[in-house]
Amino acid sequence: MATEFDALVPADMAAKAETIGIKKAGMDLLTMFALSILAGAFIAMGAIFSTTSVAGMAGVTPYGIIRLVAGLTFTLGLILVVVAGAELFTGNNLIAMAWAGGKVSTGALLRNWVVVYAGNFVGSIATAYLMFLGRQYTFGGGAIGITALNTANAKTGYDFMQAFVLGIFCNALVCLAVWLCFSARSTTDKIMSIIPPIAAFVAAGFEHSIANMYFIPVGLFIQTDSAWLASLGDKAPKLANLTWSNFFINNLIPVTLGNIVGGALMVGLVYWFVYLRPKQMQTPQTAGKPLAAAK
């Protein structure tokens, strides 16, 4: 049999997405949780790369260029998730396609989302704490730490609706990146499918719940180093928003809800409706006739 190299077309991508969703929902809990911890750590690695790459650029480089660099480097996170293999809550919102077709139960869908979300949190926040212990934030004359603190403070300063809407658009793009990967025939295809949507969401300032499980806690941890903050003098960032309660209330909760709407509804259920929903069978004799007349 000849090997197929052409990318899958959208209808075949939808069938593949449904099959993958069934497999993900049926995974045993231990494997699911372990892979979700990896995904949290992988997304954190993208965040570390992004923060480091833009450190010191503020006030020197145009804002749009800074955001573009931040976005391109952050793509490392989803590339690791997809190519190396891991379970990411935001991408798993696409299991809604299998759920809508009755192939995955509501209980199995929620089981996956809850377990994977918890594992992502463990992987992300553990990576943040290890980075704090490694004092990487002091590199570059403190430029990395200043960038991390400013990022965390900004993210905890949103109101509920703003964070919710930014979360919607973020995960629409994340799930479109995963959706494009369903067409891929090679690792190169997957990487090239991931880069533009993920770079776009970061550049635009959209909010990703799992990434924020790194971005905000690492700022909260750095904030506890009062001696280092004092050493910055006038360069020390103002951190009025940066508290644990603001992390959860102003960011994580609304962003997570927005991510579900953007991923499960705006991408997953839309593509299910287009390609997988049950359709009235038509014959040449009934096509174009009212349903009652066709019976």
Side-chain angles (χ1 to χ4, degrees):
M1 180 181 293
T3 302
E4 292 286 342
F5 290 103
D6 288 341
L8 296 181
V9 297
D12 292 335
M13 292 158 61
K16 184 175 180 179
E18 186 176 64
T19 300
I20 290 172
I22 294 168
K23 183 177 179 180
K24 284 178 176 290
M27 190 180 298
D28 70 89
L29 285 175
L30 187 58
T31 300
M32 186 187 298
F33 189 66
L35 288 173
S36 65
I37 292 174
L38 281 179
F42 290 163
I43 295 298
M45 292 296 177
I48 294 164
F49 190 14
S50 180
T51 302
T52 304
S53 297
V54 301
M57 294 178 71
V60 178
T61 308
Y63 176 80
I65 300 300
I66 296 174
R67 300 314 305 161
L68 178 61
V69 172
L72 289 172
T73 49
F74 183 81
T75 62
L76 170 67
L78 192 63
I79 291 169
L80 290 173
V81 168
V82 171
V83 178
E87 292 295 304
L88 181 65
F89 167 75
T90 46
N92 281 13
N93 282 181
L94 289 177
I95 298 173
M97 296 179 71
W99 169 82
K103 305 294 178 62
V104 169
S105 69
T106 301
L109 175 73
L110 295 177
R111 167 183 174 268
N112 179 275
W113 285 1
V114 169
V115 171
V116 170
Y117 190 86
N120 290 169
F121 186 85
V122 171
S124 297
I125 202 166
T127 304
Y129 189 65
L130 289 172
M131 288 300 294
F132 170 66
L133 293 179
R135 294 179 59 81
Q136 193 253 4
Y137 61 92
T138 64
F139 295 176
I144 293 174
I146 291 170
T147 301
L149 287 168
N150 283 326
T151 299
N153 187 64
K155 287 177 176 292
T156 49
Y158 298 132
D159 62 44
F160 191 97
M161 183 55 66
Q162 183 180 15
F164 176 72
V165 173
L166 292 174
I168 291 174
F169 283 99
C170 168
N171 208 32
L173 284 168
V174 171
C175 283
L176 283 171
V178 176
W179 169 259
L180 293 177
C181 288
F182 292 147
S183 73
R185 296 287 192 180
S186 70
T187 298
T188 302
D189 291 350
K190 292 178 180 178
I191 292 171
M192 296 307 295
S193 295
I194 287 168
I195 291 173
I198 301 305
F201 103 66
V202 176
F206 300 154
E207 291 292 306
H208 188 266
S209 57
I210 310 307
N212 289 348
M213 293 173 183
Y214 172 83
F215 278 124
I216 299 174
V218 78
L220 287 161
F221 294 142
I222 293 169
Q223 186 180 225
T224 64
D225 190 347
S226 55
W228 177 76
L229 282 174
S231 73
L232 295 176
D234 294 340
K235 295 191 296 181
K238 302 295 186 289
L239 305 172
N241 303 321
L242 190 53
T243 66
W244 284 100
S245 62
N246 283 350
F247 167 40
F248 290 105
I249 296 171
N250 291 4
N251 190 283
L252 194 58
I253 293 172
V255 168
T256 299
L257 294 174
N259 287 170
I260 293 170
V261 172
L265 177 60
M266 292 179 63
V267 179
L269 294 184
V270 167
Y271 275 122
W272 172 85
F273 178 81
V274 173
Y275 293 114
L276 298 175
R277 79 182 192 278
K279 299 175 183 177
Q280 174 69 26
M281 295 298 294
Q282 292 188 334
T283 66
Q285 291 76 26
T286 63
K289 294 182 180 180
L291 183 58
K295 290 182 179 178

